[in-house]
Amino acid sequence: MNADLADDDGVIIRVEQLHKWFGLLHVLRGVSLEVRAREVVVLIGRSGSGKSTFLRCLNFLEAPSAGRLRVAGLTADLQPGQRPPAEVVKNVRLRTGMVFQEFNLFPHMTALENVIEGLVSVKKMKKAQAVPVGETYLAKVGLLEKKDVHPIRLSGGQKQRVAIARALAMEPKVMLFDEPTSALDPELIGEVLEVMKQLAREGTTMLVVTHEMQFAREVADRVIYMEDGVILEDSPPETIFTQPADPRTRQFLDRLL
Amino acid sequence: MTADAASARPPDPDLNMGLTLIAAQRRANAGHALRVAVVWVALISILTLVLLQINVDPGYLLRRTDILRLIVVNGLGVTIAVSLVSVAIASVLALIGALGRLSSHPLAQGVSGFYVSVVRGTPLLIQLFLIYNGLAQIGTQLIRLGHPDIGRLLILDEISAGVMALSLNYGAYMTEIFRAGIQSISHGQWEAAQALGLTPGQTLWRVILPQAVRIIIPDIGNQFIAMQKDSALVSVIGVWEITYLATRSARTESKYIEMFLTAAAVYWLLTIVSTWAQTRLEKRMAQAYER
């Protein structure tokens, strides 16, 4: 194991036969996937294809119904109906950062307070120690001058950048992005994607659920197409956007591009 | 924009039109408020005239300032103190009750559900008698059985019993307020906190409750204002608050209308002041993180 907390073969996320039921709805039907440290993997697919659910299973915001997960050195091997061990859940969340479609900033805290909340509450840092760390990450997303501002006074793009800083401040091994630009006005999408591109250049391991095909084309190492709870295609962007292997991928992309 | 900055610029027709429209709207609003005030004054005048037709003595209380002082100073003081302490204890009970109702633990759910159901299903007056007289009966029995320490604890003085009854009663109603407040916070807040690694307890204390309390402040204020009047009930066990003192003086002096109208006026003024304070508090809390 190394600084990335990846396995010896470089794989940091290993999912085998992941299943998820919502009641009688079988939304993930045996998803298997490997992500190597420092890879950028983009998940695409129609709404309802299971891509967001899949992402949310990785840090147990949704409890997987069955399957084997290994995330940053932690394993949960779940028989149907079994709940993931609390210790694994806690540590996986420490080692992953998540960015949500709706930002989910804490409205009663300033931008800086949002960013240092995890450091103080979870990592038990003193506030005096956490503040400079928080300021570093706010500066990284270009919002240091907004540190004392409450989210209500920020634009959507700024909110999402603060949310990214909040996740990064915990120094996660993997960043999960769940449609990070879907709730933004078109003119605000660029600034968020720019921050994400910078993270990708720095070698951050990223899983991104998005509809931004241009971003996928430019930044992704692999693009995964999901439909009806299974992965239909897993290819480099130059392949999937020009000659997708599966006709259903082609159909999806034709409608979109 | 400051006045200097405005005067330094050439006249802006849009700005002038805007200011004219605002001024017109303000005049209309002021005229409306004035007419409403006239109706209030008329209603009070008519009531006064009616009362003067019967044998009401309006100068009575001015001659008996000792009684007036007793009601307004002592009685009002006890009423405010009892209400404040009770609403504070009720808030703590309500928070615990709400967490119990939202918990997935059967014991917590059962206890809190039972508490809310029993208290909301029975009259406050009976709860008051049970706590004041009923507990005392159990206490006496325990003393007789040889447990004087526990027994004495159950024999409450009037104020303690009154505060306990009001707290328990309002705690049950406010449990539902707290529960609704907590549930009104979007699920995304829980998820964001969980994804950061906060425990459920930390999420509640640092993320959910600060937002929920802000939402339910108006409801807590309403409960406090309602309690100021419901606290009149504790006069029946002999707490020297406004209603008790008014009743006592009314009986000894045979001045019922004078005394009860005075008591009513004191409650009314208290409500008006509390409502005003509540509005100000809400405005201040809103400024905390709004545009």
Side-chain angles (χ1 to χ4, degrees):
Chain A
M1 210 183 277
N2 45 36
D4 290 327
L5 294 180
D7 292 339
D8 291 337
D9 55 1
V11 174
I12 189 163
I13 294 178
R14 199 187 299 268
V15 182
E16 289 164 31
Q17 286 302 308
L18 183 70
H19 288 267
K20 176 68 183 176
W21 276 267
F22 287 119
L24 292 175
L25 206 61
H26 195 182
V27 285
L28 295 178
R29 303 162 174 259
V31 178
S32 300
L33 176 73
E34 284 183 358
V35 177
R36 300 171 60 80
R38 297 167 175 268
E39 251 187 328
V40 176
V41 174
V42 169
L43 291 121
I44 60 173
R46 294 189 176 82
S47 61
S49 60
K51 56 193 193 303
S52 277
T53 305
F54 174 69
L55 200 70
R56 291 159 56 82
C57 279
L58 294 180
N59 66 352
F60 301 104
L61 281 187
E62 301 291 353
S65 302
R68 187 169 184 280
L69 281 98
R70 188 164 163 77
V71 179
L74 299 156
T75 307
D77 200 346
L78 301 171
Q79 300 306 311
Q82 205 181 359
R83 299 198 63 83
E87 198 60 22
V88 172
V89 172
K90 187 181 123 196
N91 286 313
V92 164
R93 286 176 181 167
L94 262 176
R95 295 176 191 185
T96 54
M98 188 167 221
V99 175
F100 300 87
Q101 180 176 347
E102 300 294 340
F103 330 129
N104 294 342
L105 288 181
F106 306 133
H108 56 303
M109 300 181 190
T110 63
L112 183 61
E113 286 167 348
N114 266 278
V115 176
I116 65 171
E117 180 57 36
L119 299 176
V120 174
S121 288
V122 182
K123 293 202 165 173
K124 307 294 180 197
M125 278 170 78
K126 293 263 179 297
K127 199 175 174 196
Q129 289 173 283
V131 164
V133 179
E135 287 175 344
T136 307
Y137 283 100
L138 274 179
K140 191 178 174 71
V141 299
L143 287 172
L144 184 55
E145 79 276 16
K146 298 285 186 189
K147 66 180 176 136
D148 295 322
V149 170
H150 281 92
I152 190 90
R153 288 175 203 271
L154 297 172
S155 73
Q158 291 171 334
K159 281 183 204 169
Q160 195 59 298
R161 283 150 67 197
V162 172
I164 293 172
R166 176 174 70 176
L168 288 175
M170 298 296 284
E171 297 182 343
K173 302 301 172 191
V174 178
M175 283 288 286
L176 309 171
F177 292 86
D178 188 5
E179 302 204 27
T181 57
S182 296
L184 294 175
D185 290 337
E187 74 270 22
L188 301 177
I189 291 175
E191 59 187 82
V192 172
L193 293 182
E194 210 44 59
V195 169
M196 292 169 63
K197 282 178 196 168
Q198 190 198 330
L199 292 179
R201 279 195 297 270
E202 292 168 2
T204 313
T205 309
M206 293 164 66
L207 257 81
V208 185
V209 171
T210 186
H211 296 289
E212 292 294 324
M213 294 304 148
Q214 191 56 39
F215 173 84
R217 216 189 271 261
E218 282 178 43
V219 182
D221 296 306
R222 285 153 61 200
V223 177
I224 287 168
Y225 176 70
M226 281 185 75
E227 191 173 297
D228 294 332
V230 290
I231 291 176
L232 281 185
E233 188 156 355
D234 179 348
S235 314
E238 53 271 24
T239 314
I240 203 165
F241 288 118
T242 51
Q243 38 196 311
D246 196 293
R248 287 168 291 183
T249 315
R250 181 186 298 275
Q251 204 188 6
F252 170 76
L253 288 171
D254 279 350
R255 266 192 1 173
L256 216 70
L257 299 176
Chain B
M1 192 193 295
T2 63
D4 289 342
S7 59
R9 288 186 194 158
D12 175 352
D14 276 353
L15 181 66
N16 285 335
M17 178 54 89
L19 291 173
T20 310
L21 289 172
I22 290 171
Q25 183 64 49
R26 284 213 182 115
R27 272 197 303 279
N29 290 350
H32 182 74
L34 185 69
R35 281 185 280 274
V36 172
V38 167
V39 174
W40 278 54
V41 171
L43 286 172
I44 293 171
S45 308
I46 292 168
L47 278 173
T48 311
L49 283 174
V50 169
L51 287 172
L52 286 175
Q53 298 309 304
I54 44 183
N55 63 340
V56 173
D57 181 358
Y60 174 73
L61 279 166
L62 295 177
R63 291 196 301 278
R64 293 296 304 273
T65 46
D66 55 325
I67 297 179
L68 190 63
R69 193 178 306 125
L70 199 62
I71 293 180
V72 173
V73 179
N74 302 30
L76 180 61
V78 172
T79 294
I80 292 176
V82 164
S83 306
L84 267 180
V85 173
S86 301
V87 89
I89 300 174
S91 297
V92 176
L93 287 174
L95 175 59
I96 298 169
L99 296 181
R101 298 215 84 179
L102 294 170
S103 142
S104 52
H105 198 284
L107 181 68
Q109 250 184 37
V111 169
S112 55
F114 181 77
Y115 163 58
V116 171
S117 177
V118 166
V119 171
R120 295 213 305 180
T122 53
L124 172 55
L125 190 57
I126 288 184
Q127 293 162 15
L128 185 64
F129 286 143
L130 280 173
I131 287 169
Y132 183 60
N133 304 113
L135 283 185
Q137 191 182 338
I138 299 172
T140 317
Q141 185 74 12
L142 281 174
I143 293 172
R144 203 174 298 146
L145 290 173
H147 305 285
D149 294 340
I150 310 170
R152 251 178 250 127
L153 272 181
L154 294 180
I155 303 175
L156 301 169
D157 62 77
E158 301 81 38
I159 290 197
S160 307
V163 165
M164 190 185 268
L166 285 170
S167 305
L168 273 175
N169 185 272
Y170 272 68
Y173 287 93
M174 288 167 68
T175 289
E176 296 303 292
I177 293 174
F178 272 74
R179 183 173 73 148
I182 291 170
Q183 282 180 322
S184 73
I185 305 303
S186 95
H187 197 58
Q189 293 287 307
W190 285 94
E191 290 189 342
Q194 282 176 333
L196 271 182
L198 270 69
T199 64
Q202 287 173 328
T203 306
L204 197 65
W205 277 111
R206 299 193 51 88
V207 177
I208 305 299
L209 281 180
Q211 299 179 59
V213 165
R214 184 173 161 273
I215 289 173
I216 64 179
I217 278 281
D219 298 297
I220 296 175
N222 286 339
Q223 294 293 312
F224 177 52
I225 291 169
M227 185 186 279
Q228 290 165 357
K229 273 92 60 180
D230 274 0
S231 70
L233 273 179
V234 304
S235 65
V236 301
I237 59 168
V239 178
W240 283 40
E241 43 66 79
I242 297 171
T243 305
Y244 179 83
L245 293 172
T247 311
R248 207 180 60 147
S249 304
R251 289 212 182 106
T252 51
E253 311 280 326
S254 284
K255 294 284 183 192
Y256 291 96
I257 294 183
E258 291 84 347
M259 288 300 163
F260 288 127
L261 276 183
T262 306
V266 173
Y267 281 114
W268 191 23
L269 283 176
L270 179 59
T271 302
I272 289 171
V273 172
S274 304
T275 309
W276 172 82
Q278 183 194 5
T279 313
R280 284 199 39 150
L281 178 66
E282 275 170 40
K283 280 200 181 130
R284 264 192 43 196
M285 299 225 20
Q287 280 166 358
Y289 50 93
E290 275 177 5
R291 275 176 205 279

